[in-house]
């Protein structure tokens, strides 16, 4: 939190307590991050990594912003800002439907938890990296990056929004959904560990 103490609005303290108590699926590890200071009077940030058998498959960050006065562009007093990244199989990087499918995973994850939200927006980027020269021995790499923000209808539901985003991140990593229901085709898991 950017401003701990009694001056922090109760609604924000309650939302942060919900984020702290949230427990995503076992493959998702959450860690605190420094919160951005200029986006809103109050902010709380978490990093996430999705790992299976010691291999990191996806990562990202989740930021909860709060302005007690409200923000006209948010159409509310809370805003969620997220980033998620996962490697793709190179052949999927050229699939024209990948961005649309990845965005639908976000809205489906929020809807599956029955969360009300508005003003959702963002980008889905596919990047295909080829290595040359001294790095030519590295295999080509394709990555999916999803940046999204939205306004929760109720800040008290912040933990639900975090868990929906964690489900999206796990899906981007190629993990099957936890809950039974509509069958979803997952992207294939990436082939090897991420190079540094």
């Amino acid at each position: 939190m950017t401003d701990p103490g009694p001056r922090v609005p109760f609604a924000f303290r309650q939302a942060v307590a919900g984020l702290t108590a949230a427990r995503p699926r076992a493959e998702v590890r959450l860690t605190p991050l420094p919160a951005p200071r200029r986006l809103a009077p109050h902010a709380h940030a978490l990093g996430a990594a999705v790992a299976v058998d010691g291999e990191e498959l996806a990562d990202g960050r989740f930021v909860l912003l709060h302005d007690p006065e409200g923000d006209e562009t948010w159409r509310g007093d809370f805003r969620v800002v997220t980033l998620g990244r996962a490697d793709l199989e190179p052949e999927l990087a050229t699939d024209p439907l990948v961005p649309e499918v990845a965005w639908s995973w976000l809205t489906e994850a929020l809807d599956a938890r029955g969360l009300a939200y508005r003003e959702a927006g963002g980008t889905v980027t596919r990047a295909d990296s080829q290595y040359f020269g001294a790095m030519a021995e590295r295999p080509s790499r394709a990555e999916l990056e999803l940046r999204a923000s939205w306004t929760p209808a109720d800040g008290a539901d912040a933990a639900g929004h975090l868990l929906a985003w964690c489900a999206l991140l796990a899906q981007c990593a190629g993990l099957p959904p936890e809950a039974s229901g509509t069958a979803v085709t997952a992207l294939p898991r990436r082939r090897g560990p991420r190079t540094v």
Side-chain angles (χ1 to χ4, degrees):
M1 267 187 282
T2 56
D3 185 21
R7 294 189 340 233
V8 175
F10 175 76
F12 185 66
R13 282 185 286 148
Q14 181 182 37
V16 170
L19 295 179
T20 303
R23 296 293 174 255
R25 62 189 291 166
E27 299 90 348
V28 181
R29 186 184 75 249
L30 297 173
T31 55
L33 291 176
R37 297 183 181 270
R38 296 183 182 180
L39 299 178
H42 306 282
H44 186 77
L46 295 167
V50 180
V52 175
D53 299 328
E55 179 186 354
E56 187 175 300
L57 304 175
D59 67 350
R61 67 178 173 262
F62 179 98
V63 179
L64 180 67
L65 305 174
H66 178 57
D67 186 341
E69 301 297 318
D71 186 296
E72 199 173 290
T73 59
W74 300 352
R75 289 187 48 225
D77 57 356
F78 280 92
R79 185 78 174 166
V80 171
V81 180
T82 65
L83 164 70
R85 292 182 298 243
D87 282 348
L88 289 174
E89 292 293 328
E91 58 274 7
L92 281 178
T94 60
D95 186 332
L97 295 178
V98 166
E100 188 177 325
V101 169
W103 184 259
S104 73
W105 289 345
L106 171 64
T107 57
E108 288 168 5
L110 293 166
D111 294 342
R113 289 191 165 272
L115 297 166
Y117 60 95
R118 57 187 167 269
E119 298 302 319
T123 62
V124 177
T125 306
R126 294 168 295 175
D128 184 16
S129 300
Q130 303 288 323
Y131 297 94
F132 299 94
M135 300 170 69
E137 292 182 14
R138 291 186 182 186
S140 61
R141 179 176 170 213
E143 185 179 61
L144 174 74
E145 180 181 274
L146 192 152
R147 293 178 180 269
S149 63
W150 63 92
T151 299
D154 185 351
D157 291 335
H161 289 269
L162 172 62
L163 293 174
W165 177 76
C166 288
L168 161 73
L169 203 57
Q171 196 162 9
C172 288
L175 302 183
E178 280 188 298
S180 60
T182 306
V184 175
T185 303
L187 291 179
R189 287 178 48 189
R190 44 188 211 96
R191 292 179 297 201
R194 185 177 295 219
T195 54
V196 182

